[in-house]
Amino acid sequence: MMGAMATPLAAQTPAEAPPALDAAGRPEPIPVTAFAEGFQLEDARLSATGKRLAFGQIVDGRSMVRIYDADTLALERVIDAGDADDFNGFRWAGDERLLLSVMKEADNANYWARMSRLLLFDLPTSQLSYVGLKRSPLDGDDLVHVDPQGHFVLLNLRIGAQQEAEIWRFPLDGSGAENAQRILDNEGDITRWWADSDGVIRLGRGRTRRGHLIVVYRSGPGEEFRRMAKVDWDDEDALDKWDAFGLQPGSDIGYTVSSEEDGRRVLREFDYSTGTLGKAVYANPDWDVESVTVNRSGRPASVTIRDDRQREVWLDPDMQAMQDALARALGDKPVRVISKGFGSRMLVLQTASDDPGGLYVFTPEKQRLAFFANLRPDIDFRVLAPTTAHDIETRDGLVMRSYLTLPRGREAAGLPLIVMPHGGPYGARDDMGYHDWVQLLANRGYAVLQPNFRGSSGFGAAFEEAGDGEIGRRMQDDLDDATRWAIARGYADPARICLLGASYGGYAALWGVIRNPELYRCAASWAGVTDWDALLLHDRSYLGRRYYSDEWKPKIVGEGKGFDMSDVSPMAQIRRLARPVLLAQGKDDARVPYAQYYRLIEQAERNDIELETLMLVDGHSLTKEGNAEKLLTAFVDFLARHNPPD
């Protein structure tokens, strides 16, 4: 079907020499910096026709957008998008213009907030300009429609005390607000509008003062909007149903990801004119639809599912066959088409659990698959360790899909083990994708176990809801059960097991070593929660009161369970700590505040408890140059002292 392809796979191999393995098949230690620095290519995007490609790169704490000619792969421009903590992302407008979403602080006598705003970079003139009104609302980057030719955008702007939404048309000629036009006034209570693929505003949603969701709709231009629904916020099924997309000119049929009776999420048609669900467009018998991409006309092009790895499933059989052929051309390793221009050119990401992978530019009309860049250019993927999937039963009969990575060149028995719980904890999960921390630890001689404990997403609603109110309790039991599974199977030396994690995973590491010192000999935490009561107070403003009250707090504390969160908080239980701990934190962390870190240190000092600590000037995610290397070096050194691999 596709003909011959040029596949420069040799470019993925750092050297022609054999991989660096000793006589026992063990790899030499890979420098920590190789796992900490490199291109972040997952967000690479083609311009409208596929003429150019762009991706973001963090350089010394600043977000840089690199733009290349997609045919020659020559670098054309590097745009400094500002502080990495203030950069939300980018998207193309045509082939010549790039839209950048950034944050800035708004501070006056009435309120303080961080507001988003939209910037335009024009490649022919190299001019950077602001797109929006002089008095910008909080969400100044709320794009409703981008002209495919890059001439204009439609913005949803919430203006006034009640935040009713208006639609404004801004030309992308650098004139800013001078030639902007308001094309739709607010309709009262509507806070967000949607357009069809021609840019005609067709749908509005909002909230009444009593807290009901309201929906208005029209079938085409020139018609009046009709109220279609008034839904109570407690009616989750109705709310999900109206979370629809894919408005197409001349049609009332759109699409929604709907929850079925068995808890699975499937892609269905949705009739906007009646508010009714239609036939299934895509359903997987075992896995949820996680996301959907739409084509230029507004129709679904592909869905993302995640079994043991993230997969892009194309609804067009020819496109799916093309992706499968690309996988075969790249050595039968998993690939995903992550961007596709309105022409035929596409970006292909190839990666696996033991291969950080690379990005390719595929041009079908030339039958050319051109290598662009490695995600981790200083790592020889041939010496990395593959990951395997395992179903582990919990003590109360649930099944955790978990992932085990064993170090190369060592017998799969009696190994030092690192248990690595994921963050979140809700709406998150681990899979068999490439993971820097896992591969670094495996390279140093550790087995690494990643359990998807109850509360993890992607395994059905019942499994996720089983984690409600179980932080530090049954969720922690699951980690212990997974650890004992590794011992019973002979993989782990029961005397050499440590916990390591970030965010919620950092909390689970801290709590595990306090709660079960007989099982774990040490713990390392990055940005881990130490005081749940204090975090909940912070979350009330950080997450917004409605989401906090309706969604977040009930999941953390459990409805009707009456749990005392201090019972499972390291801050309140620090006196019980009897194992080595590395506590690391970003000073500018907005998600888990810095106070969670220094107050635990103070509490430990008052109780003569010794902690190893590391403070980095950074946020919840590491963006400043050199900080990832510092953290990973601290992890490796800490584990070498307290849980040596040999």
Side-chain angles (χ1 to χ4, degrees):
M1 173 182 169
M2 297 174 60
M5 285 192 254
T7 54
L9 294 177
Q12 294 187 80
T13 304
E16 292 298 327
L21 302 171
D22 65 15
R26 297 184 181 185
E28 295 180 359
I30 300 172
V32 171
T33 186
F35 294 95
E37 307 296 338
F39 295 121
Q40 300 296 322
L41 299 174
E42 293 89 342
D43 67 344
R45 291 293 178 266
L46 287 166
S47 63
T49 68
K51 179 180 179 180
R52 293 184 170 94
L53 71 90
F55 69 91
Q57 182 183 21
I58 297 174
V59 179
D60 196 19
R62 298 189 71 79
S63 287
M64 316 298 288
V65 180
R66 302 171 65 89
I67 300 174
Y68 292 80
D69 183 298
D71 189 54
T72 66
L73 305 186
L75 179 65
E76 292 188 350
R77 195 74 50 87
V78 179
I79 303 171
D80 186 341
D83 192 291
D85 291 335
D86 296 332
F87 182 61
N88 298 324
F90 71 88
R91 67 170 293 173
W92 285 98
D95 287 323
E96 309 289 339
R97 290 163 174 159
L98 211 65
L99 298 169
L100 311 171
S101 171
V102 299
M103 303 296 293
K104 74 169 188 175
E105 293 182 0
D107 194 1
N108 61 27
N110 297 319
Y111 66 90
W112 177 91
R114 281 171 61 79
M115 61 171 58
S116 59
R117 59 186 294 183
L118 193 66
L119 302 178
L120 167 69
F121 187 86
D122 185 82
L123 270 68
T125 64
S126 298
Q127 294 297 309
L128 186 67
S129 58
Y130 169 57
V131 181
L133 302 176
K134 290 183 178 179
R135 185 184 178 187
S136 177
L138 292 180
D139 299 320
D141 63 344
D142 192 355
L143 285 162
V144 175
H145 178 73
V146 178
D147 171 44
Q149 305 304 316
H151 297 312
F152 68 91
V153 296
L154 301 182
L155 282 177
N156 185 85
L157 300 181
R158 292 188 290 170
I159 298 172
Q162 300 302 321
Q163 295 288 288
E164 291 99 345
E166 301 173 351
I167 296 295
W168 285 74
R169 185 185 192 276
F170 292 90
L172 298 181
D173 57 5
S175 62
E178 181 180 345
N179 295 316
Q181 295 176 302
R182 180 169 56 190
I183 65 171
L184 185 66
D185 291 336
N186 72 71
E187 293 276 334
D189 294 329
I190 301 300
T191 56
R192 181 62 166 84
W193 295 100
W194 281 263
D196 63 24
S197 55
D198 280 349
V200 176
I201 305 301
R202 301 266 303 279
L203 179 73
R205 290 209 298 254
R207 181 184 297 152
T208 68
R209 294 180 182 180
R210 293 186 177 182
H212 293 96
L213 170 76
I214 58 172
V215 180
V216 297
Y217 174 75
R218 63 179 178 179
S219 294
E223 296 186 11
E224 296 294 323
F225 285 97
R226 295 179 292 131
R227 176 175 285 196
M228 300 302 303
K230 182 180 178 182
V231 180
D232 191 288
W233 281 95
D234 293 332
D235 189 347
E236 294 184 7
D237 291 339
L239 291 174
D240 284 346
K241 180 179 71 173
W242 279 104
D243 190 18
F245 60 91
L247 285 164
Q248 303 167 59
S251 174
D252 290 318
I253 302 301
Y255 306 90
T256 186
V257 177
S258 171
S259 294
E260 304 294 281
E261 290 185 2
D262 61 2
R264 289 180 304 121
R265 295 181 63 79
V266 306
L267 176 62
R268 285 191 175 276
E269 288 186 349
F270 181 76
D271 190 331
Y272 285 101
S273 67
T274 61
T276 56
L277 292 171
K279 67 179 182 181
V281 178
Y282 177 85
N284 187 288
D286 300 310
W287 305 101
D288 288 344
V289 171
E290 291 195 342
S291 62
V292 183
T293 60
V294 297
N295 58 26
R296 186 178 180 182
S297 68
R299 293 184 177 88
S302 67
V303 300
T304 300
I305 62 169
R306 192 184 314 202
D307 42 26
D308 287 323
R309 62 177 177 83
Q310 191 176 49
R311 301 177 188 270
E312 196 83 5
V313 180
W314 291 89
L315 303 180
D316 177 354
D318 289 341
M319 188 63 202
Q320 183 64 45
M322 184 175 290
Q323 181 173 266
D324 294 341
L326 288 165
R328 291 192 296 272
L330 290 172
D332 287 322
K333 289 193 174 182
V335 304
R336 287 189 296 126
V337 175
I338 62 171
S339 182
K340 188 174 183 294
F342 294 154
S344 58
R345 180 170 285 143
M346 57 193 77
L347 297 182
V348 181
L349 183 66
Q350 169 267 312
T351 185
S353 65
D354 57 348
D355 184 357
L359 186 68
Y360 294 80
V361 180
F362 178 50
T363 308
E365 64 182 21
K366 296 182 179 180
Q367 291 294 287
R368 185 179 68 192
L369 182 62
F371 172 76
F372 179 66
N374 286 318
L375 270 70
R376 286 284 179 258
D378 296 325
I379 294 178
D380 183 347
F381 70 89
R382 299 172 298 172
V383 304
L384 298 181
T387 299
T388 54
H390 304 269
D391 287 327
I392 301 175
E393 188 171 345
T394 69
R395 65 191 67 180
D396 58 348
L398 299 182
V399 176
M400 294 180 285
R401 189 67 166 175
S402 304
Y403 303 103
L404 180 66
T405 305
L406 300 177
R408 291 191 57 165
R410 297 171 187 260
E411 184 183 356
L415 293 164
L417 176 68
I418 307 300
V419 180
M420 187 181 294
H422 63 71
Y426 308 107
R429 59 161 290 184
D430 272 320
D431 61 21
M432 282 176 53
Y434 173 79
H435 195 303
D436 280 315
W437 293 15
V438 169
Q439 290 298 330
L440 170 61
L441 295 173
N443 176 256
R444 293 305 192 266
Y446 297 98
V448 182
L449 180 61
Q450 299 168 273
N452 279 308
F453 46 85
R454 74 189 66 206
S456 301
S457 62
F459 303 98
F463 188 82
E464 183 166 356
E465 290 169 3
D468 291 0
E470 296 297 343
I471 281 176
R473 298 178 175 87
R474 290 185 179 179
M475 291 166 78
Q476 204 73 27
D477 290 345
D478 292 350
L479 297 179
D480 298 343
D481 292 344
T483 301
R484 292 189 173 98
W485 171 89
I487 295 170
R489 291 294 182 94
Y491 295 120
D493 180 346
R496 292 193 295 166
I497 301 173
C498 287
L499 290 152
L500 181 149
S503 194
Y504 176 81
Y507 157 75
L510 287 174
W511 181 233
V513 82
I514 293 173
R515 179 185 190 251
N516 295 98
E518 79 285 355
L519 197 55
Y520 308 107
R521 63 185 292 171
C522 64
S525 166
W526 166 255
V529 178
T530 65
D531 184 339
W532 281 105
D533 289 326
L535 186 74
L536 286 170
L537 287 174
H538 166 76
D539 286 349
R540 187 176 181 183
S541 58
Y542 181 83
L543 299 174
R545 291 191 178 187
R546 180 170 291 276
Y547 176 78
Y548 169 82
S549 299
D550 294 347
E551 302 288 340
W552 184 245
K553 186 179 179 181
K555 294 192 76 66
I556 297 294
V557 303
E559 295 190 79
K561 294 189 176 182
F563 288 143
D564 186 343
M565 296 306 292
S566 65
D567 290 344
V568 294
S569 291
M571 188 76 69
Q573 305 294 329
I574 192 67
R575 297 177 187 86
R576 297 167 55 186
L577 180 63
R579 296 292 192 186
V581 162
L582 170 62
L583 188 70
Q585 177 78 24
K587 195 172 189 301
D588 301 326
D589 193 335
R591 183 64 195 95
V592 178
Y594 181 60
Q596 294 269 325
Y597 168 79
Y598 74 74
R599 287 186 60 240
L600 185 66
I601 295 173
E602 293 172 348
Q603 187 78 337
E605 290 175 348
R606 283 194 289 268
N607 288 277
D608 294 323
I609 302 292
E610 183 177 350
L611 300 174
E612 297 185 37
T613 61
L614 174 67
M615 186 276 289
L616 297 173
V617 180
D618 220 320
H620 197 61
S621 300
L622 294 167
T623 62
K624 303 293 192 297
E625 189 171 3
N627 279 348
E629 182 179 358
K630 291 175 184 176
L631 177 63
L632 294 182
T633 299
F635 281 162
V636 169
D637 290 349
F638 174 82
L639 293 173
R641 284 182 282 110
H642 298 291
N643 193 25
D646 295 303

